[in-house]
Amino acid sequence: DVACVANPVSGWGHRSFGALLDNLHLAAGIGPGQVAAKLLVSRDLVIGKSMTLRRSALDAMGGFGAFGDYAAEDFAIGQAVRWSGQRTVLARHPVWNVAVDRTVRSFFDRYRRWAVLQRTGVTLPMSLAHGLVNPWPLTVIAAVLT
C-alpha cells in the first residue's frame, strides 16, 4: 500500500556563500523538519526533489498535470496519495541536493517563497514540529545577544 517514498533532504557541495546557506538550511532545517514531522506528528512530508512515486498511483491521480495549478505540487501529491488510502513513507537515507554556486539573494528568495508555502500549506502541529528543529531562529537570537 506504499505509493510514495520521500527521503529527508540535505545539502552538499557549496563554493559560494549563498550555496553554503542553502546547503545548511537543507541539512539543518528542511531534512530535520521532515524527520520531526514523522516522529512528532506521524506525517511523512513529501518534498519533490526526494519523492519516488508508483506509476499506477500517479496515473490514478491524473498524472503530474493534475497538480499543475498548485504552488506546492509535491505537498499536494503527498496529500493526494494519503487521501487515496495509500501510504507515503519517509526513507532513512537522505537525498543530497547539490548547491554549488548560488547568490545570497537567490537563497533568500527561494526560502521566502518556501516559508509562505510552509505557513499556508501545512497544519499548525506540523509547522510547530518543524520550528522545534529549525536552528535559524535560535542562531539569529544568539548572534543578536552576543
Side-chain angles (χ1 to χ4, degrees), residues 32-112:
Q34 287 176 276
V35 173
K38 175 66 173 182
L39 295 175
L40 298 175
V41 293
S42 298
R43 292 297 298 270
D44 298 305
L45 294 181
V46 176
I47 295 180
K49 63 180 82 190
S50 77
M51 73 179 176
T52 304
L53 290 165
R54 285 189 188 272
R55 179 173 297 278
S56 59
L58 182 62
D59 290 345
M61 294 184 293
F64 285 117
F67 299 92
D69 291 335
Y70 290 88
E73 71 286 343
D74 49 357
F75 182 78
I77 288 169
Q79 293 289 93
V81 167
R82 284 185 286 280
W83 292 335
S84 75
Q86 299 178 80
R87 290 179 45 219
T88 58
V89 175
L90 185 65
R92 294 179 184 263
H93 300 287
V95 163
W96 296 97
N97 181 83
V98 179
V100 178
D101 292 311
R102 177 167 290 228
T103 65
V104 172
R105 167 114 187 166
S106 70
F107 164 77
F108 281 109
D109 288 346
R110 178 179 182 183
Y111 288 105
R112 183 175 37 250

Side-chain angles (χ1 to χ4, degrees), residues 12 19 33-34 52 71 87 118 128 131 133:
W12 177 80
Q34 287 176 276
T52 304
R87 290 179 45 219
Q118 173 76 12
L128 291 174
V133 298

